[in-house]
Amino acid sequence: MSRSLPTIAITAGEPAGIGPDLCVMLAHKSLNASVVVVADAEMLKARAVQLKLSLKITPYTPNNIKKHIGNGTLTVLNIPISTPVIAGSLDARNSQYVLETLKRAALGCLENVFDAMVTAPVHKGVINDAGIAFSGHTEFLAELTKESQTNTPQVVMMLVGSGLRVALATTHLALKDVPAAITQNSLETTIRILHHDLVHKFSLDNPRILVAGLNPHAGEDGYLGREEIEVINPVLEKLRAEGMQLIGALPADTLFAKHHLSKADAVLAMYHDQGLPVLKHASFGEGVNVTLGLPIIRTSVDHGTALGLAGKNSAGTGNIEIGSMLAAIELAITLANNKSKSAINS
């Protein structure tokens, strides 16, 4: 679908959490895109009353998409909620509603109705309490879109902020399970996905990727572990032979030094808490989670549902920060524009 501005679908996430608040606040922010919030319209109106913020809802139709100018109006694709929402109080009966918003946004992206989707935080625990097996946005979207994935058998989590891009070879695993999860096959696939999306989504012609070792001092020639020798370095050598710029395996404690980062487009960390503490130290509250390897563009805030703050941010008090949501939307706009330019030039 040809559009002068990208259309971004935003899911409001856990209805008892901070996601609806962010959407209401977003109504007062100007963006260089069209925005469609996928949520229950009456729930958003009720949250706006709690927040003491004005809100006008325009029902979504494919023909009423206009630039989001921040005049207190939201275009909403209404998904009816299952049971009334109390801000800060989880209710498992609304779990299916949460998943339906994700499904509608993702399918809209697959059908080119939307150019990208941005997700507010969900609460994995309450979805599982509803009897629905759910491990996160990433896995849910990978399963939903798998029939459209011809060359991406897995997905990769990357966080972006303060000039850093940090991708993960493994995500939410106990530390004791990480070494076994890093195989030559899985690592090669991860690097191929990371490299592909840096080229095709981020428009980096020949990205330079720093790769962390798994062990202290990157194993110190096998003295502190052999994963670098037996798994990581053989993969890097194979892919370097194909022309990829891969630097490593580097000791993680020095990888994030300025002289390394100044020459890099992205970092690949071996596990969650190896790479993300550095990024979140640099950009907490304004970081963005990007899912690589999907056939659609998906970004997300870098924080949780913040149940204790939901519905409590009176206008002007500044208790709730919208920075990460705005950053996620801005990155989605950039990636959508990159995709559009690539399509025109191809």
Side-chain angles (χ1 to χ4, degrees):
M1 183 177 292
S2 175
R3 287 182 280 262
S4 58
L5 290 174
T7 297
I8 311 299
I10 301 175
T11 58
E14 166 54 48
I18 207 71
D21 302 55
L22 298 176
C23 292
V24 171
M25 295 168 72
L26 188 65
H28 299 270
K29 301 288 184 180
S30 177
L31 296 166
N32 197 30
S34 304
V35 169
V36 177
V37 175
V38 185
D40 183 281
E42 293 304 317
M43 180 267 296
L44 292 174
K45 290 179 183 178
R47 191 63 58 89
V49 171
Q50 283 187 272
L51 298 175
K52 299 181 175 65
L53 290 173
S54 63
L55 179 66
K56 179 182 178 182
I57 298 290
T58 299
Y60 164 78
T61 67
N63 298 321
N64 74 346
I65 297 299
K66 298 177 182 178
K67 182 178 178 180
H68 185 82
I69 60 175
N71 64 348
T73 300
L74 285 179
T75 298
V76 176
L77 172 53
N78 185 53
I79 307 293
I81 207 152
S82 300
T83 194
V85 176
I86 300 174
S89 180
L90 296 171
D91 192 322
R93 290 173 292 181
N94 285 325
S95 295
Q96 193 60 54
Y97 153 83
V98 172
L99 299 185
E100 182 63 21
T101 64
L102 295 176
K103 182 178 178 181
R104 292 289 291 275
L107 292 179
C109 290
L110 286 173
E111 295 165 359
N112 294 319
V113 175
F114 307 132
D115 297 293
M117 64 182 290
V118 177
T119 58
V122 299
H123 195 286
K124 288 179 279 191
V126 75
I127 295 174
N128 281 278
D129 287 344
I132 303 168
F134 181 84
S135 55
H137 279 111
T138 301
E139 295 81 2
F140 179 84
L141 293 173
E143 179 66 21
L144 185 65
T145 62
K146 69 179 181 180
E147 292 183 4
S148 299
Q149 298 184 74
T150 56
N151 297 309
T152 51
Q154 68 184 50
V155 291
V156 175
M157 177 180 173
M158 183 169 77
L159 267 74
V160 177
S162 296
L164 293 172
R165 301 183 186 98
V166 180
L168 302 176
T170 62
T171 52
H172 300 114
L173 289 178
L175 192 56
K176 66 181 177 59
D177 297 326
V178 168
I182 301 173
T183 66
Q184 287 194 17
N185 286 340
S186 69
L187 183 61
E188 179 180 340
T189 301
T190 294
I191 294 174
R192 288 190 185 279
I193 291 171
L194 173 58
H195 183 272
H196 177 275
D197 279 12
L198 289 173
V199 172
H200 294 281
K201 291 184 178 179
F202 286 80
S203 296
L204 299 169
D205 290 335
N206 192 14
R208 183 180 173 97
I209 301 169
L210 305 182
V211 181
L214 174 66
N215 298 294
H217 301 178
E220 204 165 284
D221 296 324
Y223 180 73
L224 294 176
R226 297 191 57 82
E227 284 83 3
E228 288 76 12
I229 294 171
E230 296 175 358
V231 179
I232 300 174
N233 288 331
V235 172
L236 300 185
E237 291 168 8
K238 175 182 178 179
L239 297 179
R240 284 191 200 106
E242 297 180 11
M244 292 189 193
Q245 291 196 88
L246 304 172
I247 299 87
L250 296 174
D253 63 343
T254 56
L255 180 154
F256 288 96
K258 290 181 180 179
H259 68 279
H260 284 311
L261 292 177
S262 65
K263 301 174 183 178
D265 294 300
V267 170
L268 178 63
M270 290 297 112
Y271 57 94
H272 188 280
D273 282 14
Q274 185 185 59
L276 296 194
V278 178
L279 185 137
K280 291 195 175 186
H281 171 73
S283 64
F284 191 77
E286 296 182 351
V288 180
N289 184 351
V290 187
T291 306
L292 306 181
L294 291 174
I296 62 175
I297 295 168
R298 179 258 172 166
T299 67
S300 178
V301 297
D302 72 344
H303 57 73
T305 53
L307 294 168
L309 294 178
K312 297 180 180 178
N313 189 51
S314 298
T317 63
N319 292 332
I320 298 172
E321 298 294 337
I322 195 174
S324 183
M325 174 60 83
L326 290 175
I329 295 170
E330 292 293 348
L331 181 56
I333 292 170
T334 297
L335 297 182
N337 286 333
N338 289 345
K339 181 179 178 181
S340 178
K341 292 176 185 175
S342 177
I344 292 171
N345 295 330
S346 62

